[in-house]
Amino acid sequence: MFKLLLYFSVLAVFATAAQAHSHLKASDPAADATVPASPPTLKLTFSMKLVAKFSGVKLTDADGKEVTLGEAATDPTDSKILLVPVPAPLAAGQYTVDWHVVAVDTHRMKGSYKFTIKP
């Protein structure tokens, strides 16, 4: 009985820790969206507050060529939002956003999604 109780206690601790990590909740442009024009900024919203200096985004076009972006920063009104300026208009086509963030809980998370700009 003691081993069973210990097992479930350990399992509960790990489940709680896994839920503590920051996850991407929304993005603009949205994942798999087709937008009519180049966005001036990439906006990624996470489930936890971020540490901006350890967070960032890489944007690549359909050929895998990296697009130059401005410096990533958290939104001054909500540090769960990462804002990344897109200084030059993007051409029509598909783009991949590869993001990495460090949340205030010090856990590093990463992921990616795609969006398309209409021709």
Side-chain angles (χ1 to χ4, degrees), residues 38-79:
S38 177
T41 304
L42 302 177
K43 179 180 178 182
L44 288 76
T45 304
F46 291 87
S47 58
M48 294 183 74
K49 293 180 179 181
L50 305 175
V51 179
K53 80 180 202 180
F54 299 119
S55 303
V57 168
K58 180 174 99 171
L59 183 66
T60 52
D61 65 16
D63 296 326
K65 182 180 175 191
E66 189 169 346
V67 175
T68 302
L69 298 172
E71 187 173 340
T74 52
D75 185 316
T77 62
D78 186 351
S79 61

Side-chain angles (χ1 to χ4, degrees), residues 10-45:
V10 169
L11 191 60
V13 167
F14 282 114
T16 302
Q19 292 174 356
H21 298 324
S22 186
H23 298 283
L24 182 65
K25 292 178 67 177
S27 62
D28 185 16
D32 301 320
T34 298
V35 297
S38 177
T41 304
L42 302 177
K43 179 180 178 182
L44 288 76
T45 304

Side-chain angles (χ1 to χ4, degrees), residues 97-119:
V97 177
D98 292 301
W99 57 265
H100 65 275
V101 296
V102 174
V104 293
D105 69 354
T106 70
H107 288 105
R108 180 179 163 98
M109 299 295 291
K110 63 181 180 175
S112 67
Y113 68 91
K114 296 177 186 293
F115 70 91
T116 303
I117 298 173
K118 282 186 192 180

